[in-house]
Amino acid sequence: MGIRGLMSFVEDHSNEFFTDLKLQDTKIIIDGYALFHRLCFNSDLELRYGGDYDSFADVVQKFFESLFACNICPYVVLDGGCDISDKKLTTLKDRAREKIQAAHSLSVGGGGNVCPLLIREVFIQALVKLQVCFVQCFSEADRDIMTLANHWNCPVLSSDSDFCIFDLKSGFCPLNTFQWRNLNTVKDTQSYYIPAKCFSIDAFCNHFSNMNKALLPLFAVLCGNDHVNLPIMETFLSKVHLPLGSKGRRHHRVMGLLNWISNFDDPTEALDNVLKYLPKKKRENVKEVLCCAMEEYQQSSVKLQDFFQSGTYVCPEALNLGLPEWVLVSLAKGQLSPFISDALVLRRTILHTQVENMQQPNAHRISQPIRQIIYGLLLNSSHPEDISQNAMPSQPLAFNEVERINKNIKTSIVYAVQLPKDHSDLSRLTELSLARRQTLLLEALKVKQVVLESIPTFLKLPIAVSCYWLQHTEAKAKLYHLQALLLGMLMEPLHAIINSPGKEDPRAGAKMLYEEFQKVKESARPSARLDLDTAHIFCQWQCCLQMGMYLNQLLSTPLPEPDLTRLYSGSLVHGLCQSLASTSVESLLSMCPEVKQLYEHLFNATRSYAPAELFLPKGKSNSKKGGQKKKITVGTTSDTRNWYEGSNRFGLLMTENLEEHIEASELE
């Protein structure tokens, strides 16, 4: 939610509407959606290459470490799926179009802000590692945030102007005034605080003739927010005389409406005066819409304090749908994506655009078969709004997908895949055996179990997804794309080796390779020209990974969820694509034999699913890439068997080292 023009207006009057705060020793409720966007867009991160997730995770960690240093206890509240009324659909489509334009601008060397596809998942994984309390609401989180903040009498941190309308006991701190990078010391003590500014609703109302705070929700819907888009309101605005006040015309509508509405004692009187400017036959309908929109600023019935204190999440809206209990719990814990709830409740999903080649079909097309399996699993979730009740039992149910077509959006119809009878009840999906769930996942990815036997546990899902990606002709991947992708996956084991106790020799080689990869990563930014075809291919891989993860989550993770932080770095894989034109994989990995062997097994697993032409030279430029195949050692059967026995130990060692490293970082 957001009110057009309001945030810039109050910031222009910062001295009048804000008070200075020295935040320490307090709880704070954080708008998770606003925070990860702010950290993504205001931390000098590379956005063209599909996400430097390691760099983003580092920023998230530093942010929360600043809070911990000031004894600030954060509670992060994330938006869930779309409201069941779907009243924001027009706004969401408008934003989707804006993202396409921003993505296109970035793709041709211009500016723009587009979140990498998996940024939300990386953010949630970072919260889990840092042991930050968080909840994912069933739908939009604003009212739940306000209600919790007032219950605990603590401030809200967000960038959403709707929090200027909510009557918050301890106020609202805009993210752009929250100086978490600039900790100050309390005089004559060793304690820290974060300088911030807090919006005062009392000062705001006093500025406008001591206006009744209860009038602010009506002001918000008249001014225009994400939930209200009534062309008829322009009739009201054209007829009513809006007093401008002493300032200029920059915020004509905001100031005019505030000055006008402040003349009334309460919302009922003000609303009656709005309606009298409209045609009589329109008044009742407009009144109903406005009153409904004003309810969005009232207290929520959801008690998030119960979730944070006892793990109980009760949302009447969700309960009324009759969804399975395990689904509601998993959604609240962020173990299922809002994509799942949108598909489940609305039979519609929105596929987010990346920095891709706008002249090609959108990158999500490659993962459509995985989504069709997901939709099939969600088919038989009986609830009052189930639109399938009038459909024939044998008829596949249609789902709508909002996707990019060229530089615009289109709603396409996709049909769910009919699944075996033992998947016919979503409420009992978790009762399927691990083996059955794993089989269903791998069948959806078109990968045989035996191929993953030599792969460490933490990389099984990414490698399975990569096998799926290679099998689809849409990808048009070259050998160096696959090599770069697999090399990028070595960052996690390299990090584990470097931080593991033991002999110095393996760590020395790992450090050298890690530093070499960092140089490659830096070489890809900031002036390097974006290879659009390469960008599109890696966007397709991320789409496959995203849907592979969502399916894995829906099946209660038959394969371990990969740590995305060091799994994919866009700058690194793009830089490696350039480096592989002049160097071989073998020479790159020669400094670290431990990960060289791991790479070979990753490569051997994926090459069995790659099209033959991937290894054939095509013209002068591709002959070099194809020639690299000869430099890669392919283990014999006995070598593979021997390494498989050691790989599980190696994977376990890396996992233990990572956990020890995380625990150590939390104690520092």
Side-chain angles (χ1 to χ4, degrees):
M1 293 171 69
I3 298 143
R4 297 173 197 124
L6 180 59
M7 188 57 78
S8 59
F9 172 72
V10 297
E11 287 173 350
D12 281 358
H13 297 75
S14 177
N15 293 335
E16 299 166 68
F17 302 149
F18 289 87
T19 56
D20 290 327
L21 283 187
K22 298 178 179 179
L23 275 175
Q24 61 175 170
D25 304 323
T26 182
K27 292 176 180 176
I28 190 167
I29 314 303
I30 300 177
D31 177 347
Y33 179 88
L35 176 62
F36 75 70
H37 277 78
R38 175 80 185 177
L39 296 181
C40 181
F41 296 150
N42 293 83
S43 302
D44 193 32
L45 300 180
E46 177 57 67
L47 298 176
R48 295 179 302 160
Y49 297 127
D52 286 349
Y53 295 125
D54 53 347
S55 302
F56 173 73
D58 287 343
V59 173
V60 174
Q61 179 171 331
K62 289 173 184 175
F63 174 86
F64 285 104
E65 286 175 346
S66 292
L67 269 59
F68 299 152
C70 301
N71 197 30
I72 297 171
C73 185
Y75 291 85
V76 177
V77 183
L78 289 155
D79 290 322
C82 297
D83 188 280
I84 191 169
S85 68
D86 222 12
K87 52 195 168 190
K88 281 185 66 173
L89 181 58
T90 300
T91 299
L92 292 171
K93 285 185 174 181
D94 288 342
R95 288 180 181 168
R97 292 185 184 94
E98 291 169 4
K99 286 179 183 177
I100 290 171
Q101 296 307 316
H104 173 66
S105 175
L106 284 167
S107 73
V108 295
N113 285 331
V114 176
C115 272
L117 187 66
L118 300 172
I119 202 81
R120 180 190 179 98
E121 283 70 31
V122 175
F123 181 66
I124 289 176
Q125 288 185 353
L127 296 180
V128 172
K129 290 177 193 173
L130 294 166
Q131 297 183 331
V132 174
C133 296
F134 74 96
V135 65
Q136 181 173 271
C137 296
F138 187 68
S139 56
E140 194 159 7
D142 290 3
R143 292 173 66 198
D144 297 347
I145 290 173
M146 177 267 288
T147 305
L148 179 63
N150 281 342
H151 178 80
W152 280 343
N153 197 19
C154 63
V156 168
L157 183 63
S158 179
S159 56
D160 192 333
S161 57
D162 277 304
F163 289 104
C164 295
I165 304 301
F166 290 119
D167 189 2
L168 293 162
K169 293 178 182 177
S170 295
F172 152 54
C173 299
L175 273 162
N176 63 351
T177 69
F178 190 72
Q179 300 178 51
W180 63 272
R181 289 184 170 98
N182 182 31
L183 299 190
N184 288 1
T185 308
V186 178
K187 190 176 181 181
D188 299 326
T189 73
Q190 292 185 330
S191 61
Y192 296 96
Y193 69 85
I194 295 176
K197 290 187 178 294
C198 185
F199 177 78
S200 169
I201 193 171
D202 292 324
F204 184 69
C205 289
N206 288 341
H207 181 81
F208 292 97
S209 307
N210 200 24
M211 177 172 56
N212 180 357
K213 286 186 280 191
L215 290 164
L216 289 178
L218 179 59
F219 154 74
V221 299
L222 291 176
C223 200
N225 66 11
D226 292 350
H227 285 169
V228 178
N229 182 26
L230 287 176
I232 191 68
M233 293 315 301
E234 295 300 324
T235 302
F236 157 71
L237 292 168
S238 66
K239 291 183 178 179
V240 69
H241 176 65
L242 297 180
L244 269 176
S246 59
K247 302 293 181 181
R249 296 189 61 85
R250 182 183 175 200
H251 297 105
H252 172 261
R253 177 174 293 194
V254 171
M255 285 196 67
L257 277 172
L258 286 167
N259 281 315
W260 180 82
I261 209 168
S262 66
N263 293 313
F264 304 104
D265 293 331
D266 56 60
T268 301
E269 181 187 1
L271 183 55
D272 288 341
N273 274 272
V274 170
L275 297 174
K276 74 180 186 182
Y277 288 96
L278 305 180
K280 288 184 179 180
K281 62 181 180 180
K282 301 274 189 181
R283 290 177 186 176
E284 201 57 40
N285 181 54
V286 170
K287 182 178 181 179
E288 183 180 346
V289 171
L290 293 180
C291 287
C292 181
M294 289 164 62
E295 284 294 317
E296 296 297 327
Y297 296 96
Q298 303 307 309
Q299 183 165 300
S300 168
S301 60
V302 176
K303 297 178 180 178
L304 290 183
Q305 64 270 20
D306 291 346
F307 178 82
F308 289 123
Q309 291 165 355
S310 63
T312 304
Y313 180 81
V314 179
C315 174
E317 176 189 10
L319 290 175
N320 291 338
L321 294 172
L323 300 179
E325 176 68 18
W326 77 266
V327 171
L328 297 179
V329 171
S330 297
L331 285 168
K333 291 182 177 180
Q335 295 167 352
L336 287 177
S337 166
F339 173 91
I340 298 297
S341 59
D342 282 348
L344 190 54
V345 175
L346 299 173
R347 309 292 187 210
R348 189 209 64 231
T349 56
I350 298 176
L351 307 177
H352 297 288
T353 299
Q354 303 172 78
V355 182
E356 56 193 79
N357 190 334
M358 299 294 164
Q359 295 180 347
Q360 292 189 28
N362 80 77
H364 289 280
R365 286 289 180 91
I366 193 173
S367 58
Q368 187 182 93
I370 306 176
R371 291 196 300 279
Q372 289 175 290
I373 299 289
I374 292 174
Y375 299 153
L377 290 169
L378 300 177
L379 275 181
N380 293 286
S381 53
S382 57
H383 54 77
E385 277 69 30
D386 193 338
I387 61 171
S388 69
Q389 291 176 354
N390 294 325
M392 296 296 291
S394 60
Q395 181 182 353
L397 181 64
F399 285 72
N400 289 329
E401 293 185 341
V402 180
E403 60 175 349
R404 176 186 68 80
I405 299 290
N406 297 320
K407 285 188 279 185
N408 210 329
I409 61 169
K410 176 188 177 184
T411 301
S412 302
I413 296 175
V414 174
Y415 290 95
V417 168
Q418 296 280 13
L419 296 170
K421 289 183 179 180
D422 59 348
H423 307 117
S424 62
D425 187 351
L426 182 65
S427 65
R428 302 185 64 181
L429 188 58
T430 54
E431 298 174 16
L432 293 177
S433 68
L434 173 62
R436 187 70 191 93
R437 287 181 282 116
Q438 196 171 92
T439 298
L440 178 57
L441 174 65
L442 295 180
E443 284 178 352
L445 297 177
K446 303 175 184 176
V447 178
K448 293 181 179 179
Q449 177 86 36
V450 66
V451 174
L452 302 179
E453 286 180 354
S454 63
I455 305 301
T457 304
F458 65 95
L459 285 176
K460 285 185 184 293
L461 183 59
I463 291 301
V465 163
S466 300
C467 292
Y468 171 92
W469 169 70
L470 285 169
Q471 292 177 73
H472 286 74
T473 55
E474 301 100 309
K476 298 179 181 177
K478 304 290 192 298
L479 178 59
Y480 62 90
H481 293 133
L482 174 61
Q483 291 172 327
L485 194 60
L486 299 180
L487 287 169
M489 292 182 192
L490 300 179
M491 291 296 277
E492 178 86 0
L494 281 173
H495 186 265
I497 294 171
I498 291 168
N499 289 282
S500 65
K503 296 180 181 179
E504 182 61 32
D505 289 349
R507 284 186 288 170
K511 284 179 183 177
M512 289 175 60
L513 183 56
Y514 193 89
E515 289 168 3
E516 182 64 29
F517 280 171
Q518 290 296 337
K519 291 177 185 176
V520 171
K521 181 179 174 182
E522 290 300 317
S523 71
R525 56 176 313 203
S527 57
R529 180 178 174 272
L530 181 64
D531 182 333
L532 269 183
D533 289 335
T534 291
H536 199 83
I537 286 166
F538 288 136
C539 283
Q540 291 172 319
W541 181 82
Q542 282 208 70
C543 290
C544 296
L545 179 61
Q546 181 190 48
M547 291 304 151
M549 285 182 64
Y550 289 173
L551 177 57
N552 191 48
Q553 290 170 352
L554 189 59
L555 294 170
S556 301
T557 58
L559 292 182
E561 182 161 303
D563 183 347
L564 297 171
T565 304
R566 295 183 182 87
L567 181 69
Y568 178 86
S569 168
S571 294
L572 175 60
V573 296
H574 277 259
L576 285 167
C577 284
Q578 298 167 12
S579 297
L580 289 171
S582 57
T583 189
S584 69
V585 172
E586 188 175 56
S587 62
L588 268 176
L589 297 181
S590 61
M591 61 188 79
C592 187
E594 291 80 11
V595 296
K596 179 175 182 288
Q597 192 177 37
L598 172 59
Y599 171 86
E600 289 171 357
H601 283 77
L602 300 182
F603 182 81
N604 289 338
T606 52
R607 71 172 292 169
S608 59
Y609 287 93
E613 57 266 25
L614 190 77
F615 307 103
L616 297 176
K618 291 183 180 180
K620 293 182 180 180
S621 61
N622 285 337
S623 63
K624 290 183 180 180
K625 306 291 189 305
Q628 291 168 9
K629 175 195 165 195
K630 297 178 182 178
K631 299 178 183 178
I632 296 168
T633 305
V634 179
T636 63
T637 304
S638 59
D639 290 337
T640 302
R641 188 183 304 113
N642 292 336
W643 190 86
Y644 167 59
E645 293 173 356
S647 70
N648 286 332
R649 294 195 297 272
F650 181 58
L652 179 61
L653 172 64
M654 287 188 284
T655 303
E656 290 173 349
N657 290 335
L658 282 169
E659 289 173 353
E660 290 171 5
H661 179 69
I662 292 168
E663 288 172 4
S665 67
E666 289 169 351
L667 293 172
E668 289 174 356

